[in-house]
Structures are given as C-alpha cells and as structure tokens.
Amino acid sequence: MKLVAKMARFVLDQEEIERRRGRFSYSEVQFLPNPEDFSSLIVGLENRHKTFVTESHFRGNDNKGFYVLVFSVVYMGEDEKPTDFRIQYFPKKDKREKKLKYDPTYNIFFDEPNLIKNKGRWTYSNKLKDAVFGSVSTGNFYLNVYREGLSTPINDSPYKISVLPSSLSLENFKEMVDDILAIRRELIMAQNTAKQSIQTTWHHALNEIEEALNNITKPMKEINAQPKVKLEESYVKKSLRNIKKFNGRTVMNLLLNKGANKYVTSHATESTDIYENQMILYTLTKLNKYVEESDVHFKNKLTSRKREIDKQITKLLKQYKKNDLDELEEFIRYFQYNKEGFCRDILKTVYEQSSVSKQNTVEITIYVDKKSFQIDKSMTFFHDKLVASYKTEFFDRDHRFWGLDYNRGHYYFVDNPNNRIAIKGRRAEIHLTSGDYRQHLLLHHFLSENTTLGLLEIHAVVEKNNSTESDPLKERPTEGGRFNNTYDYPLKIVELKRINDMSSADFKGKLEELVSLFSYYGSLGLTSETLKQIDTLRKKKNNHQSVIQEDNQLQEQITRISNKITYFRKLPFLKGVTQRKLPWRLTQVFINDRYYSRIWGNLRSLDKRYEFTSDFNEEDILVKKTDELYEYWILIHLLLNLKNTGWTFTSGYSIKEAIDILVKDKTSWSLEGCTFSLQHNGNHFRLNNDIAEQHTAPIHIEKIVMDVHYNRKISGLKPDYAFEVKLYAKLSKEDQETKVYSKWFYLDAKYRNYEEQNQLDSFYYDINEVAIGKYLNQYRKKGQPSSAAFLIHTDTNNKYNFFGGFHNDIADSSLHDVYDPYSVPFSYDPIAFQLPAPIHTHFNRNPRHMYGGFSCIPGETENLKTFVKMLLEYHFIEHMTPSICWDCGSTNTLIERREISPNNYKYYITCNDCSEFWVRNHCKESGHKLVKHIVNYHKEEHDDYPWYVKCPVCNNIHYEEEEDPFMF
C-alpha cells in the first residue's frame, strides 16, 4: 500500500449547499493536469521522504478557484480496496486526529472545508479558525493510515504535509536554504580573522586560498609528469600470435571459437583514476564552487545594501522634488534663515493633488461656530505642502473659537445634504495641508480677526478619523472633561473647496500675503533633521562606494584563482579521473610521496579552515525541513542581527552550530527548547551629562545580557522565540548596589498570505489569538513577565506591517484589550484575578509597541532589524541607553543637544562607526518618549517622512515648535 497525493478542485453545488444550509456539497471534482509543470508542487507530489508539499490558494494556470490537496491509496493487495482503509490527520502532534472524508466516485480522501455565503454564493471560508489543511490553512499537518477497525496506523511514522503560503514561493524556500549555507560560509571565514568587516574577511580568505594554490603549483606539475597510477585489467581481442598470456577466459574463447581470427585476452593498462587523484580533483572542484558562491553571496549583500541606501535617498529627494543630495542640501541651507524665500519658492506653483489616498478621505460640508478671536495659529512645511494649524488654548464654555455643541443642532453631511450627521462634540481643531496658497489664505481670512464671529460653512476634502461611514469625522471621546458623550472632531483638511459662499479658486489673495503670514506664524519645519539625514545618507553612500571599490579590486584576484583551478583540473593526469564525493583519508601515497604530501598539507589545511568540501543536498534539506525551515531561517537571521549589532555568544550553541543542526540532519541534534545566551560588547556605556540632568533611572550600565529561547516551553506555552533581556546598572560608578532590570519579549512565526486569507480580519485574528491572547494576557495572568509580543509572517503587503505605534479605527475596533495586573487592586479572589483589565483606558487607541506583526522573507529583512531595534531601544529607553547604536552595536556615538526654545531641547545622536542618525525627544502632550529614525517603528504622520511621528501612547502629533525638552 502506498499513499499518493493529487491536487483537486471541487466544483461547489450551490443549490444542494443551500438546501443543506451551508453543508459542503459538490457536483464535480477536477484534477490538476500535468502537476509536474508546477515547480511549487514537484517536491511534494513525488512523495519523497513521506513528505507532501503544496501551497495554499493554489489556482494552477487559471483563476476559477483553487485546488486542494487530496489523497488516494494505491498498490493495495489483491483482496484490498480503498474502503478498507481510513486516513486521519492532525495539525500538531498534541492534537486529536480528524478523519478524512472518502469519495468512492473519484477514489480520494479529502478534508471537508467550511463554507460561507458571500454575495449570494457559497464559497470556502478564508477565516483561519474555519480553515482546513490543503486549501487555505497554511502550516504543517500529519497523516496516519489505518485499516478499518484497527487503532494502530499502518505507517511506522506519520506522513507530513507542509502547506506553504502562496505569498511565499518554493523559490523563496530555496533562497532560505542558500542563504543559510552562505551565512555558514561567512561565519567560518570570520572565525579565521579578528573582528573585521565582511569585505576584509573575504579578502583574507582569498589570500589564503591563493597562497595555497601557489604552494601546490610545482607539486601539481611534478605529479602530472609522473602521476601515481594503478593497473587496470581489461579484455580485448587479439590475434593468437599476439597473445602473451593465457588465462581461463582466453582458453574458453579458443575452444568455443576455433578458427577465429582473434580471441579474447586480458590487457593491463595504467590508470590515474586512484583515490588520491580523485580527492585532488574533487577538492579543486569544490574549492572553485566555494569561491564562486561566496563571491555571489558578497555581491548580493553589497547590492542589497546599495538598494537600501538608494531607496532612502530616492525617497528623500522625491519629497522635495530634487535630483541629488547636493542640490537638496543647497536648497535647504539657502532657505534655512530665509523663511519668506522658502515659502515663496515652494508655493509659487499651485499643487492641488493630495498625497492622501482617496479611500482615507471624505468630502464633507460642516458647520462650526466661530466663538472667539483667541486663535492660536501655526504653520510649518511638510515636503512641498504647507501645514497650517488653528486652535485655541482654552476649551471651556466661555473661550472657544468655534463650538460643536450638538444640543444646538450643529451637524455635518457627507455628499447628501439631506443626510445630516449630528455632531456630538464640544471642540475641534483645523489642520490644512496643501500646496495651494489660495486655500491657506481663504482659511486664514475666515479665522482671523478681520471677519466676524458666527457660523461658518466649510466644504472640504478631509482625512477620515475612523472607518464608520455614518460618522467618519468622529474620533475618541473627550477624556477628563466635564461634558459627557462628547468626541473630538479634528478636521485634517487636504483640500479646502470653499467657506460660506467663497471658493479658494475665486479668492483674490496673493502669494505675498501668505509669505508675510508665514514669516510671522511659520517655521521651516525640521530642516536641521533633514540636513542631518542628508549628511547621514551621503556618508553611507560614500562608505558603501568604498566597499564596492574594494570588492572590484578583488575581482582580479578571484579571476587568478579561478584560472589557476581551471588549469589544474585540465592537467592530463586528471582527465580520466572519476568525479565523485569523497571524504578526506590519509593514505600511504599522501604520507610518503613528497608532492602528494604537499598537496595534502595545503588543501586539507585550507579545507579545515573553510570547510569548502562540506556537501549538502539542498533539496533534501528543503523537503525534510520544510515545516521548520522558515522558523530556522528567522532564528538564524535574528541571531546574526544580534551578532552584527555588538552581541557576543557566551553559552549555548553558536550560530554555526545551529545551522549545522539543520543542514547535517543529525537526529541526535535538536534546537528544540535550546537557549542562546549573549552579552553586549559595549565597553564604555556612557550617558551625556546634558541628557542625564533630570534622570530618575540608573545611568551607569555595567552590562546588558540576553537569552534567546527557541521553541522552549515557558509557563505552559511554547513561543517560537522568547527574549529575556537583563540590564545591570547603578545610579553612579561609586554606587555599591547593582540593580537588574529585566524584560521579556515574544515572537511567533506564521506562514500566512493574509491577502488571500480574509485580509485584515485574519491578521487581527492572529494578533488577538497569539500575540495578545497568549503571550500578553495569558502570561500576565500567570505572573510570567511580558512586555511585548509580535507575529512575524510571510505576507509582504505593507498593510500587514504593524509595529504597535498607533491604532486606526479598524484596528481599535478589532484588537483586544491587554491585561494589566497593576490596573486593578490586588485580590486573592481567583475569579477577580482572571477578569480582564484593560491596560489602556485613557489612551485606548494606542498599543504602545506592545503587540503587532510584520513580514520577513528572503531579500526583505529590514522589518526584522527594526523589530529588534524597537525592543532594545524603545522598551529600554527609560534605562538610559542612548549611547548605543542598535544598527551596528557601536557605543562610539556623538550626542548633540539642540535647543528649540528656552529650556526646551531635543537630542541628535550620530554613530561615528556606521553613520546612522536618530533623534530622541518627547511628545508635547505628556512627555512620552520618542525615538525617530530614518526607518521608523513609530507611526509616521505623513508617509515616508520620518521626523513627524505619532506618539505611541497619546497619539499627539507635534511639529518643531511643539517639542518638549528631552527628559527621563
């Protein structure tokens, strides 16, 4: 008996399903023709290693619905039939098995899917909780085959089914294997040199390889002149007079073929196809492959780094519509002290196109009461748009510049004037972001002292505050005020069409009027940050160009090495040698022959240092480890990122040993439940005295250590990755007491194509069930520390990247509260202890970087680096670690204090080693900590503009003049 897999499409019987109230029913089963034409199926359907591999949402070459994995029993005994067997599956080894359905018409076993009704038709449910294997649910499943009536499976071990997400191709998995093997080569190279750059390490390896090849040049020539050989006996036909030696075969041939012209006889010839020559050829072949693959790996890293830097530069230049960094710097410096000129130059061309997507905006007409002339006006620039804000410092009943008192019948409407929406609010702010100076002049005209108080009818395109179509402007309820049932209505206008009866196009104001207003109320925005950003990107680009030049200089050496290996392999004594995989074995020839001995000494020594003859069957790794490969690959990159940012492994496996467990397939080795212990290398943790003026936390850091747990059971749960970070610190160097500050973080890997699997609903479902439900709420209720929990997945659509910096309305209504044991009085009542207590009450839209999810696949690992940076930087900011650059791990950083206004500061930090630049300050609203990077984990208020971010606690968005001093 053998189990085979097929890909089948079930044609749903809509009428029968309707009659059966949603129960699965089908009218036909269509099998995928020519599955061998699809690379993503070849590995699995061939049934190697009792493993089946497919992908979710597989549609073949058409789009008529997806195929699912089904099974047939073949090669049965003469008296056996398929119904004598049953097949059961389980998603994990600790789950109860579920029986597959059998269809006698098509002779297939299949998992019956769940259905939902969508637009009047029944279809597969994409919800993760409803999904079945082989269709929409990704992950790993196990099959057992039983004879009916028996409880012991026929198979000695379960069949494994790996359903890959359709967002991650088989090619991506092959890239993971190649990437892991390349990292292994790189780590081995690094072992042979002191801590140096990758390029220097590669250069050192090439020097040693070339030296070894030079050392064996003379021995190879000498061996070619007089190689060691063996005598090989072969049989040929010769005339009787030419036969020198008779053996049994020759005599038999004579007796059977009397009178023939020629007879079979043995003939001895010399052959160089001996072990020693085979080993030389095999070693040279593997060495040549090693050099080629290493060269490709390092070039790919250089290309990836260049692409990353170019992307950041292109994004910045596009914002200001400039051609290069020099032009942009000249532009900003020229206008840095000439606000009027800056404003005039930017706005001299009318820009009416909004950068906000239409799905996030709505055209409205709103009526507001202008109640006061005490209006606080401010203006600043964002790219080529001027941002003007109008608000007041007083929000009580007597000092409001406009009223939104719904008891007085104020309202607004969207599109249809007859569908009026009552405003349940007491106040609003107006922000206008536009490059059209006429819109700014129109708004200022009606909100200035030059016009009377009273009702204003504003017609504009604004950003939605939530996704509720019935009231898209309503934000969160007002907190701490004396009015109940009230909401904020911040009007974020992206296009002002008219106020009362006057349109912006008809307004007669002139550009110079706005320039004059800007000179009084405006600021140039974060130009100093932008100049620092320019300097950082220029240094990164120049440094990288230097590395590329070094690599180009190595190409001549690589060519010499390749040519020499090719020359050796073409020597006559190696032409007839068999090419095959061989282990090193010290023979008498290698010991006693001086030329063979020198070759052994040089090549064997080189192989010990670089392990280039290690041979791994990449396809076997792929098939056997599919269920673990993504998690392994993530683990390797996590550890590599820590190594590259200044961490040293102190105990447990090294990265290379972890890779060997994967690629060498030793059953006695396992990473399950293992711990990697690390300590940061920073040897002079320091804190600038200016930053530490008002510190309340320890400032003298002795050391930072981390334990990374992989698939280890912790308090009854088994997260894929758990991070325990401990910081040892004193209030001062003289202090005798060392305090230990510890935090735990969790990361869980998911094979997902959220775009196919119910989109955001499934994404939020995973966050609720895993990140919040398991690793925050369950752990906190058990007393297990948990500061943050995230998902890492395979869907690269940017809408499924969420670092927990801000909730929009959909997330706010979809994501669960986080349990906080400190938000309610302690109670011994176990029921009271289990009651969920929200960690956010006042700031209920903001998760404070406690949970979220992000993508990571081969070639796109930036999110993983950002995640690690967020854990170590943001979640430990109160413990005084501003001197550490979490991009490269250096503590050689420059901290500059910048005064915004009297006693109001922000801090620029630049890494002197990698040139990274970031800003540390606090939001104005409540002084919450902020860390701004060119690539942010905070939510950016404007896409691709890193210096305006939303506070992850209170959602305050601040511009330059609103920034508070840096304080702890």
Side-chain angles (χ1 to χ4, degrees), residues 218-236:
K218 182 179 178 181
M220 288 290 288
K221 291 179 179 179
E222 294 293 339
I223 291 174
N224 186 58
Q226 287 186 313
K228 295 295 183 183
V229 296
K230 66 179 180 179
L231 291 177
E232 288 187 343
E233 189 176 49
S234 60
Y235 286 91
V236 296

Side-chain angles (χ1 to χ4, degrees), residues 663-728:
V663 300
K664 292 189 176 181
D665 195 32
K666 292 189 176 181
T667 55
S668 60
W669 290 9
S670 175
L671 289 178
E672 188 81 8
C674 75
T675 296
F676 300 84
S677 296
L678 306 96
Q679 179 171 328
H680 198 268
N681 293 332
N683 56 4
H684 61 292
F685 294 117
R686 59 186 174 77
L687 195 66
N688 183 287
N689 288 332
D690 289 336
I691 298 182
E693 285 176 353
Q694 300 184 31
H695 71 272
T696 57
I699 62 169
H700 178 66
I701 300 173
E702 293 186 332
K703 63 178 179 178
I704 306 175
V705 300
M706 180 191 301
D707 284 337
V708 180
H709 309 286
Y710 177 67
N711 272 336
R712 175 187 165 194
K713 202 163 189 176
I714 301 171
S715 296
L717 298 175
K718 189 185 282 187
D720 291 332
Y721 318 94
F723 309 83
E724 182 184 7
V725 184
K726 292 180 181 179
L727 184 147
Y728 295 78

Side-chain angles (χ1 to χ4, degrees), residues 95-154:
K95 298 285 185 179
R96 193 165 64 179
E97 293 184 355
K98 178 181 177 181
K99 185 178 178 181
L100 297 184
K101 300 285 185 180
Y102 177 70
D103 184 317
T105 303
Y106 296 98
N107 185 25
I108 56 173
F109 292 85
F110 62 94
D111 193 12
E112 187 174 77
N114 297 291
L115 304 177
I116 59 170
K117 202 169 188 178
N118 183 24
K119 297 180 180 179
R121 293 185 62 82
W122 291 95
T123 183
Y124 287 84
S125 172
N126 274 357
K127 292 184 178 179
L128 296 179
K129 62 181 180 180
D130 295 334
V132 295
F133 87 81
S135 58
V136 300
S137 184
T138 54
N140 303 291
F141 306 86
Y142 301 88
L143 289 182
N144 281 321
V145 182
Y146 300 84
R147 293 189 186 277
E148 279 295 353
L150 299 179
S151 59
T152 303
I154 298 172

Side-chain angles (χ1 to χ4, degrees), residues 548-558:
I548 291 176
Q549 289 176 0
E550 291 177 15
D551 182 72
N552 291 337
Q553 292 171 1
L554 296 180
Q555 293 310 303
E556 184 178 342
Q557 186 177 23
I558 292 172

